[in-house]
């Protein structure tokens, strides 16, 4: 064995012994042979694999196990930490894990394994689906996310070996998803460390500056910090309260966020150090608070009682800010030793394997997790799902009361409509007004801490699209969106049934008969749709022509004897057109599957021009809105309401019918005559300038924005090329809103 490899193995063996020592410290009788076997199994499977740093890969799962041991988790969690990458990165199967290390461990490993076998359209979609899988798994067993957070912590501790771009991507995902999850689970030390390492990767200059300034400030303020510590200790001791006083520096990312939020420099941040008073029981917390306020004047609006109203993750403490020695602000937290343990270790503090107890996932502190699990099942769109997760995880909270005195936690800025949907979906759907503290308010009213809220409902009330602008919670937004979508689908299906029924009647065929016989299902499959419902929705939205459906059902010999459409059929067709929008005979696009004429408008965000690749979107009341296929906004729109469209040649009327307004930005050197040259260039290509705005900058450049009228994509392209060839022109861009 080479000397270097021998030294590496000795180091790993030493580290293995250290981790095992940590486990012995909290598990009364750990299965050491099983833990050793899992380590050796993982080492064998990962043999030959190295991390970006060049170190043997097995070092990573061993370090993850060390962090899991710091969380005092059980043996299946420790085994999952060692084995978590074997299924994803080696030829190991879940069945093999179950056979050798038990079903419980295999379930955890499966929840931690990314979906790597499927192909996704984008990195964002892959991220969303892996987060979705993780949330489902943690809904079944909270240990999955605890091991995953341990995995992410070690990964982010070792980001230095990564390429900067990949390191920033991992850091951003950590700030977006994983540190908020740690916060929701109440594991304060883990959240702080995740944030600080992510901050260092995202903004190394700011991180290094803060680290140096905090160290210098602490040296400069050591005397003051000692005075506060002594002062607090004396205050409680004189009244006979047994207490421990601690002073701790705030972590770098929290200081950075405070500077960003308040728009202040480092020197203006007063409370860089927070102080804790840890006492024996709840009564002593309030007694210590009274003593502190008696000596040091409290700052108004800076007191929070998380003991009487705990945070959803179980966090309890009294928070106050006072004017301490030298009239400087001092941030103080007062809690019991048990509260402090939960504040630092969160949900992990509740795992008591010595007594064989497990945490209850049905408790109030996991309401947010149940909402996440429910939302992933209700949202199909990947980006929408990620936005919903971020909204749930990042939301600051307000605590309000029901009329019976129950406490509900809602996102900051929440309205009575959010409250209604938190009570029940049906209460939300039928809400019309609210009473807050006995006073009538609108559904848009912003709730505050301590409000008592009552919802007034009416059976004929229904959700409206503008409600999406009122609510702040992802639950309410998802429920409203689902209701509106369901209503639109039902209306589309009703219209499709009417149109197909009328068309089939021409051939002496009843719609109910082809549904019962399975012919309509067969037609759906021929059109590459899964079932009759999808077929009806597609016809109702105009994505599939009714003729395409009828041709799959009616035999050719029967079709040859068809009668002409009756007035009733034409009226039904008109109703579909009215559902999508009013007729517009001058539309320059053809809609796939629609032989009737409907309102066509062009999206202002991208202003498509004749000849460019386009896509349509069916709206409510505004007909079909046509976007550029490359428009960024189209990705956020519902797939099922998109419709294929193409440009329609309009012969001699082509120029008048398809002339479109487009915004062009030209950056050039600020020189005399340039504006005239650009105007001539546009004119030479038959492009009319309807509006122009010019602005010069101190660096001798000029930015010129032109509103021009063009008839087709070729004319636009040629005009932009001609302007771009002018001497002194740096850049020519098309501007989209």
């Amino acid at each position: 064995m080479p000397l270097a490899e021998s030294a590496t193995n000795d180091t790993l063996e030493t580290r293995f012994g250290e981790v095992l020592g940590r486990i012995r410290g909290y598990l009364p009788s750990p299965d050491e042979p099983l833990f050793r076997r899992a380590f050796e199994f993982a080492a064998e499977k990962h043999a030959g694999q190295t991390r970006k740093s060049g170190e043997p890969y097995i070092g990573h799962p061993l370090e993850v196990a060390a962090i899991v041991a710091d969380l005092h988790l059980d043996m299946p969690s420790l085994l999952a930490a060692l084995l978590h990458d074997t299924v994803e990165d080696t030829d190991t199967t879940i069945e093999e894990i179950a056979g050798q290390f038990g079903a419980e461990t295999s379930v955890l490993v499966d929840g931690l394994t990314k979906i790597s076998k499927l192909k996704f359209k984008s990195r964002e979609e892959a991220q969303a689906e892996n987060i979705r899988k993780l949330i489902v798994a943690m809904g079944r067993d909270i240990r999955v996310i605890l091991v995953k957070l341990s995995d992410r912590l070690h990964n982010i501790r070792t980001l230095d070996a990564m390429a900067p771009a990949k390191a920033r991507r991992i850091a951003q995902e950590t700030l977006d998803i994983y540190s908020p999850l740690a916060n929701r689970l109440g594991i304060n030390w883990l959240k702080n460390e995740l944030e600080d390492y992510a901050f260092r990767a995202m903004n190394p200059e700011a991180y290094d500056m803060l680290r140096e300034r905090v160290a210098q400030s602490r040296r400069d303020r050591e005397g003051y910090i000692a005075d506060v510590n002594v002062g607090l200790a004396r205050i409680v001791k004189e009244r006979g309260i047994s207490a421990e006083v601690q002073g701790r520096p705030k972590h770098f990312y929290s200081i950075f966020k405070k500077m960003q939020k308040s728009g202040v420099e480092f020197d203006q941040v007063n409370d860089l150090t927070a102080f804790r008073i840890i006492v024996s029981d709840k009564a002593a917390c309030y007694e210590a608070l009274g003593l502190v306020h008696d000596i040091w004047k409290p700052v108004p609006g800076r007191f929070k009682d998380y003991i009487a109203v705990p945070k959803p993750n179980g966090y309890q403490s009294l928070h106050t800010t006072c004017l301490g020695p030298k009239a400087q602000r001092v941030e103080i937290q007062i809690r019991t030793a048990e509260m402090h343990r939960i504040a630092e270790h969160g949900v992990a503090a509740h795992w008591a394997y010595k007594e064989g107890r497990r945490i209850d996932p049905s408790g109030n502190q996991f309401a947010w997790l149940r909402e996440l699990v429910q939302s992933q099942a209700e949202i199909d769109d990947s980006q929408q799902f990620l936005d919903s997760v971020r909204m749930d995880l990042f939301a600051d909270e307000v605590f309000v009361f029901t009329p019976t005195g129950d406490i509900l936690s809602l996102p900051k800025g929440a309205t009575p409509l959010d409250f209604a949907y938190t009570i029940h979906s049906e209460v939300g759907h039928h809400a019309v007004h609210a009473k807050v503290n006995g006073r009538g308010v609108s559904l848009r009213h912003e709730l505050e801490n301590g409000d008592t809220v009552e919802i007034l409902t009416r059976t004929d009330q229904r959700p409206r699209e503008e409600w999406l602008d009122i609510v702040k919670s992802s639950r309410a937004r998802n429920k409203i969106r689902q209701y509106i979508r369901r209503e639109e689908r039902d209306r589309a299906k009703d219209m499709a049934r009417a149109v197909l029924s009328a068309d089939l009647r021409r051939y002496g065929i009843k719609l109910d008969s082809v549904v019962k016989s399975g012919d309509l299902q067969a037609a759906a499959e021929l059109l590459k749709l899964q079932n009759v419902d999808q077929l009806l929705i597609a016809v109702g939205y105009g994505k599939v022509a009714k003729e395409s459906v009828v041709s799959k059902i009616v035999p050719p010999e029967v079709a040859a004897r068809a009668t002409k459409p009756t007035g009733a059929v034409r009226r039904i067709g008109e109703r579909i057109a009215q559902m999508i929008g009013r007729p517009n005979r001058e539309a320059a696009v053809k809609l796939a599957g629609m032989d009737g004429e409907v309102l066509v408008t062009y999206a202002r965000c991208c202003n498509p021009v004749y000849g460019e690749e386009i896509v349509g979107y069916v709206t409510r009341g505004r007909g079909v809105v046509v976007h550029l296929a490359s428009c960024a906004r189209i990705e956020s729109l519902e797939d099922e309401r998109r419709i294929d469209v193409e440009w329609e040649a309009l012969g001699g009327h082509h120029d008048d019918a398809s002339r479109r307004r487009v915004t062009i930005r030209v950056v050039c050197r600020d020189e005399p005559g340039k504006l005239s040259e650009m105007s001539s260039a546009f004119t030479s290509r038959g492009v009319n300038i309807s509006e122009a705005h010019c602005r010069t900058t101190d660096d001798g450049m000029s930015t010129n924005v032109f509103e021009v009228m063009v008839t087709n994509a070729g004319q636009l392209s040629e005009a932009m090329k001609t302007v771009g060839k002018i001497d002194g022109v740096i850049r020519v861009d098309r501007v989209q809103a």
Side-chain angles (χ1 to χ4, degrees), residues 423-677:
I423 297 297
H424 196 280
S425 298
E426 289 302 309
V427 177
H429 289 339
H430 301 299
V432 285
H433 292 295
K435 288 184 179 180
V436 174
N437 305 325
R439 181 172 61 87
V441 298
S442 76
L443 295 177
R444 294 179 177 273
H445 177 82
E446 186 172 322
L447 300 176
E448 297 180 357
N449 273 320
D451 282 345
T452 297
V453 186
E454 181 183 355
I455 300 296
L456 307 178
T457 62
R458 197 172 63 215
T459 55
D460 62 347
Q461 175 71 303
R462 295 290 184 273
R464 301 188 295 275
E465 202 153 0
E466 54 264 33
W467 281 14
L468 293 171
D469 298 325
I470 297 175
V471 295
K472 299 296 182 185
S473 64
S474 65
R475 173 185 171 83
R477 181 169 280 106
N478 293 338
K479 292 297 181 184
I480 294 166
R481 193 180 282 122
Q482 284 170 28
Y483 186 95
I484 293 171
R485 191 180 302 170
R486 186 169 62 246
E487 188 180 57
E488 289 175 345
R489 285 175 176 171
D490 289 345
R491 186 164 61 246
K493 286 194 289 186
D494 288 344
M495 300 305 289
R497 284 191 191 96
V499 112
L500 290 174
S501 181
D503 250 27
L504 288 170
R505 234 182 348 252
R506 294 166 53 202
Y507 307 101
I509 299 172
K510 291 184 178 180
L511 181 63
D512 287 346
S513 298
V514 296
V515 171
K516 289 178 182 176
S517 68
D519 287 348
L520 197 59
Q521 173 65 32
E525 292 170 2
L526 287 170
L527 291 165
K528 301 192 184 315
L529 296 166
Q530 290 182 359
N531 51 47
V532 169
D533 267 3
Q534 283 194 8
L535 176 64
L536 293 174
I537 290 169
V539 172
Y541 277 140
K543 296 185 74 171
V544 171
K546 65 183 188 296
E547 290 82 5
S548 299
V549 180
V550 171
S551 69
K552 302 291 188 295
I553 296 171
V554 179
E557 63 274 14
V558 176
R561 302 193 298 270
T563 60
K564 291 184 178 181
T566 64
V569 174
R570 286 196 297 272
R571 284 195 297 275
I572 292 168
E574 289 167 3
R575 286 173 64 198
I576 289 187
Q578 289 167 0
M579 181 184 77
I580 301 177
R582 58 182 174 79
N584 177 1
R585 297 185 184 277
E586 297 183 359
V589 296
K590 290 190 295 185
L591 312 177
M594 294 298 297
D595 53 356
E597 292 176 332
V598 297
L599 172 66
V600 173
T601 57
Y602 299 93
R604 295 180 180 179
C605 53
C606 56
N607 279 325
V609 173
Y610 185 89
E612 295 182 304
E613 191 177 350
I614 51 176
V615 63
Y617 182 70
V618 180
T619 66
R620 300 180 69 196
R622 291 189 297 123
V624 175
V625 178
V626 178
H627 291 258
L628 280 174
S630 59
C631 177
R633 292 195 182 182
I634 201 71
E635 291 301 320
S636 63
L637 303 178
E638 297 170 26
D639 283 342
E640 64 189 25
R641 294 177 67 177
R642 299 182 200 176
I643 183 172
D644 291 335
V645 295
E646 61 183 40
W647 295 104
E648 184 175 43
L650 297 180
H653 302 288
H654 171 82
D655 288 352
D656 295 333
S658 62
R659 192 177 292 275
R660 304 285 303 135
R661 181 186 297 271
V662 176
T663 304
I664 303 295
R665 178 173 50 219
V666 183
V667 178
C668 65
R669 292 197 297 268
D670 182 21
E671 297 173 350
K674 279 290 175 281
L675 183 58
S676 175
E677 287 185 65

Side-chain angles (χ1 to χ4, degrees), residues 204-224:
E205 295 83 6
Y207 176 87
D208 289 340
M209 179 276 291
L210 269 182
R211 185 178 59 177
E212 292 172 10
R213 298 292 293 275
V214 167
Q216 181 60 44
S217 173
R218 187 164 181 82
R219 287 193 294 271
D220 295 343
R221 288 164 51 86
E222 278 180 351
Y224 179 80

